[in-house]
Amino acid sequence: MQIAILLFDRFTALDAVGPYETLSRLPGAETVFVAERPGVHHNEVGSLGLVADAALADVTEPDILVVPGGPGQIAHMDNGALHEWIRAVDAHTAWTTSVCTGSLLLGAAGLLKGRRATSHWLALDQLPGLGAEPTGERVVFDGKYVTAAGVSSGIDMGLALAGRIAGDAAAQAIQLGMEYDPQPPYDAGAPDKAPAEITAALRARSRFVLAVEE
Amino acid sequence: MQIAILLFDRFTALDAVGPYETLSRLPGAETVFVAERPGVHHNEVGSLGLVADAALADVTEPDILVVPGGPGQIAHMDNGALHEWIRAVDAHTAWTTSVCTGSLLLGAAGLLKGRRATSHWLALDQLPGLGAEPTGERVVFDGKYVTAAGVSSGIDMGLALAGRIAGDAAAQAIQLGMEYDPQPPYDAGAPDKAPAEITAALRARSRFVLAVEE
């Protein structure tokens, strides 16, 4: 079972590493980071470099595709060659997935038309323009298409997908192995839970957070 | 504010990336991955490569030290040169922290004597031998020493520490930005919450999980 995780410059690290840490522990999993340009790709902060071992042409029939998000996603909304690769591998996948604004790339590639999907909460309003129907759920399954909300939600998606693929016991063993018994020190992880002024502040600078073009 | 995150071969990716994703978003933070050998370090699965830009000698006075864990930690329990570096930078830090079995390295360096600390649940019993008092808490503050439980707990630690450093509002903004509103599909993230047979199975192969030497 090959799991391909797409990288690009200015991706968000946890978007990629959350699904990696859960799915790479599935029995028989072979995980590969893939990018248009093999080699080191830096996250949006610039201080974290993750290696893509494979070029797009090296990965043609993955069983699972994971597309992370991050501010760098915006540079690929019109990247026809990348969209073509996404569509080509999607023809072979058992599961095509995204975390955060990665769903905008799946949408730009035309894969979310008429499908329920999610994204980072600041990007939900971009889904309809790509033909998708945004939901408020943290992890959305629509057929083989699985989209997760912002950044950290990829962990929940990875575990949910692990359960579908290998059964509840296998997913629970992965959860226990990574001691995923979350105890956030604040209850501010969703726009309707955080203090209103903090939600408003992030909304105001969302162009910076998401690098959305006007 | 310099945040140094230690890398070594066969580290666990989320141990490092959880604190990174939270702490690197603090105002004024400069994060650097540091290792005995600069360059790419692979995790214990082998398919994820993270770049250490700095050698130990390049990082002498970080404000925060983060030591992740992972099976590769065992190779450094007697690494005197690394322990010496850990002690030297600890003399300058405002916070010295660990995730997962990273606390065993802090302990091996002599920094946890007489302190309350935690580690991956499968490694808690190794703390007393290093002079530390294990606790069942997910994130343990003892003075400037902050230790977190297994793998995913580094996210909770990072947010708690962000709050101590920059205030609740800054930490809540980071939490909302990364949409950390966890909704695990199972409640199996702690040994007393997972089905007993799954906990027993992980315990039975803990030498593999943790690469503990007899």
Side-chain angles (χ1 to χ4, degrees):
Chain A
M1 179 175 58
Q2 190 187 49
I3 302 164
I5 304 180
L6 183 68
L7 289 184
F8 45 82
D9 291 328
R10 304 188 72 230
F11 73 107
T12 294
L14 188 56
D15 287 18
V17 173
Y20 176 89
E21 202 65 90
T22 45
L23 296 173
S24 69
R25 294 169 191 274
L26 279 170
E30 176 222 321
T31 312
V32 61
F33 287 97
V34 56
E36 287 194 289
R37 174 185 55 74
V40 176
H41 289 262
H42 285 95
N43 73 333
E44 79 271 39
V45 180
S47 50
L48 182 147
L50 202 57
V51 179
D53 288 307
L56 298 185
D58 301 328
V59 178
T60 55
E61 300 188 358
D63 299 286
I64 303 176
L65 171 66
V66 179
V67 178
Q73 152 272 328
I74 190 72
H76 301 286
M77 289 300 282
D78 296 315
N79 182 341
L82 181 61
H83 298 178
E84 194 174 331
W85 177 81
I86 290 174
R87 283 190 296 270
V89 297
D90 175 67
H92 293 280
T93 60
W95 301 95
T96 293
T97 78
S98 67
V99 179
C100 199
T101 53
S103 60
L104 303 183
L105 275 182
L106 293 185
L111 298 182
L112 298 182
K113 290 203 175 92
R115 299 195 178 277
R116 298 171 65 254
T118 193
S119 192
H120 191 287
W121 64 274
L122 282 169
L124 281 176
D125 61 0
Q126 295 179 60
L127 285 172
L130 300 165
E133 179 194 335
T135 83
E137 296 159 60
R138 186 161 171 84
V139 177
V140 178
F141 281 78
D142 187 334
K144 75 170 191 178
Y145 298 91
V146 194
T147 54
V151 190
S152 60
S153 63
I155 300 173
D156 295 329
M157 181 188 78
L159 285 174
L161 193 51
R164 300 271 187 122
I165 293 169
D168 292 344
Q172 289 169 315
I174 292 170
Q175 183 180 4
L176 181 58
M178 62 193 291
E179 209 163 343
Y180 184 48
D181 180 30
Q183 296 172 25
Y186 307 96
D187 186 17
D192 57 344
K193 294 181 177 178
E197 65 276 17
I198 290 176
T199 300
L202 261 71
R203 238 185 246 288
R205 62 186 179 94
S206 67
R207 279 193 305 157
F208 172 76
V209 174
L210 296 175
V212 174
E213 283 174 356
E214 292 283 295
Chain B
M1 178 173 60
Q2 191 188 47
I3 302 164
I5 304 180
L6 183 67
L7 289 184
F8 45 83
D9 290 328
R10 305 189 70 231
F11 72 107
T12 294
L14 188 56
D15 286 19
V17 172
Y20 176 90
E21 202 64 270
T22 44
L23 296 173
S24 68
R25 295 168 191 275
L26 280 170
E30 175 222 323
T31 310
V32 61
F33 287 97
V34 55
E36 286 194 289
R37 175 184 55 74
V40 176
H41 289 263
H42 285 95
N43 74 334
E44 79 271 39
V45 180
S47 51
L48 181 146
L50 202 56
V51 178
D53 287 308
L56 299 185
D58 300 328
V59 178
T60 55
E61 302 188 355
D63 299 286
I64 302 176
L65 171 65
V66 179
V67 178
Q73 152 271 330
I74 190 72
H76 300 287
M77 289 300 283
D78 295 315
N79 182 341
L82 180 61
H83 298 179
E84 193 174 332
W85 177 81
I86 290 174
R87 284 190 296 270
V89 298
D90 175 67
H92 293 280
T93 60
W95 301 96
T96 293
T97 78
S98 67
V99 179
C100 198
T101 53
S103 60
L104 304 183
L105 275 181
L106 293 185
L111 298 182
L112 297 182
K113 290 202 174 92
R115 298 194 178 277
R116 298 170 66 252
T118 194
S119 192
H120 191 287
W121 63 274
L122 282 169
L124 281 176
D125 61 0
Q126 295 180 59
L127 285 172
L130 300 165
E133 180 193 335
T135 83
E137 296 159 60
R138 187 161 170 84
V139 178
V140 178
F141 281 78
D142 186 335
K144 76 171 191 177
Y145 297 91
V146 194
T147 54
V151 190
S152 59
S153 62
I155 300 173
D156 295 328
M157 181 187 79
L159 285 174
L161 192 52
R164 300 271 187 121
I165 293 169
D168 292 343
Q172 288 169 315
I174 292 170
Q175 183 180 4
L176 181 57
M178 63 193 290
E179 208 163 343
Y180 185 47
D181 180 28
Q183 295 172 25
Y186 306 96
D187 186 16
D192 58 344
K193 293 180 176 177
E197 65 276 15
I198 290 175
T199 301
L202 262 71
R203 237 185 247 290
R205 62 186 179 95
S206 67
R207 280 191 305 158
F208 172 75
V209 174
L210 296 175
V212 174
E213 283 174 356
E214 291 283 296

